[in-house]
Amino acid sequence: MPDIPTTAAAGPMSYAIFQLARAHRARAAVLLRAMDLHPGQELLLMQLLDRDGQTQSELLEAVGLDHSTVSKSLRRMQEAGLLVREPAQHDRRVMVVHLTGKGRAMREPIAALWQSLEEISAGSLSEQQAAAFVETAYAITDAITSRPLPEEESG
């Protein structure tokens, strides 16, 4: 177990989550670079592979990233030939995102990347430990997201 800074001693679980997220994101970034993708782009592709033709707003909500990050990612992905963005027929201000053939061809490589990350991440865990971790991680996520942010509490 790593040394925890004294200022984080009152939050060892939070510090462990931070370390875990950082390590996982770094490993994913290396694997994504080999596929000519930037971190987060695989999440957008996964959403579109499940349901092509989503609006930028729907994608933004699905992946939980901020507007500027999603816009920049979609622009890069369009330049790479993975998708196209078109104004919606019902409202020209709304942009609808569609995968190209090249984007649809990313299904298997992304699934393989995710499987590789899973094997690396859970390699030393039993099936029961891995299942318990997933359950615990979602319980923590729910606890965090169900609680209003401080500025929301006063309003």
Side-chain angles (χ1 to χ4, degrees):
M1 198 150 91
D3 287 336
I4 297 175
T6 56
T7 51
M13 184 181 70
S14 294
Y15 193 75
I17 291 169
F18 167 78
Q19 293 286 52
L20 169 64
R22 188 175 66 168
H24 193 269
R25 187 171 36 255
R27 180 57 63 107
V30 169
L31 297 173
L32 288 164
R33 258 195 305 280
M35 296 171 58
D36 290 326
L37 293 174
H38 295 274
Q41 290 181 341
E42 82 283 12
L43 300 175
L44 292 164
L45 285 168
M46 283 191 250
Q47 290 297 320
L48 290 166
L49 286 163
D50 278 356
R51 188 170 65 85
D52 200 8
Q54 293 184 58
T55 66
Q56 284 190 201
S57 296
E58 289 171 324
L59 287 169
L60 195 130
E61 189 175 319
V63 297
L65 299 171
D66 66 87
H67 178 47
S68 62
T69 301
V70 170
S71 291
K72 183 178 179 182
S73 290
L74 291 174
R75 181 182 44 76
R76 281 182 170 169
M77 294 165 73
Q78 186 166 356
E79 290 168 0
L82 297 170
L83 55 84
V84 293
R85 294 181 290 174
E86 309 169 327
Q89 290 181 351
H90 71 281
D91 184 345
R92 308 296 287 168
R93 296 169 296 177
V94 175
M95 295 301 283
V96 179
V97 184
H98 294 280
L99 291 171
T100 62
K102 183 177 179 181
R104 283 187 293 281
M106 296 300 288
R107 180 181 296 277
E108 293 306 317
I110 288 173
L113 175 141
W114 223 243
Q115 181 178 356
S116 176
L117 263 176
E118 188 81 1
E119 290 168 0
I120 292 165
S121 300
S124 64
L125 302 177
S126 69
E127 279 186 44
Q128 293 81 7
Q129 288 173 314
F133 172 79
V134 171
E135 184 178 335
T136 302
Y138 282 121
I140 293 168
T141 301
D142 288 344
I144 292 169
T145 58
S146 67
R147 186 160 188 170
L149 295 172
E151 64 270 14
E152 293 174 340
E153 288 174 350
S154 61

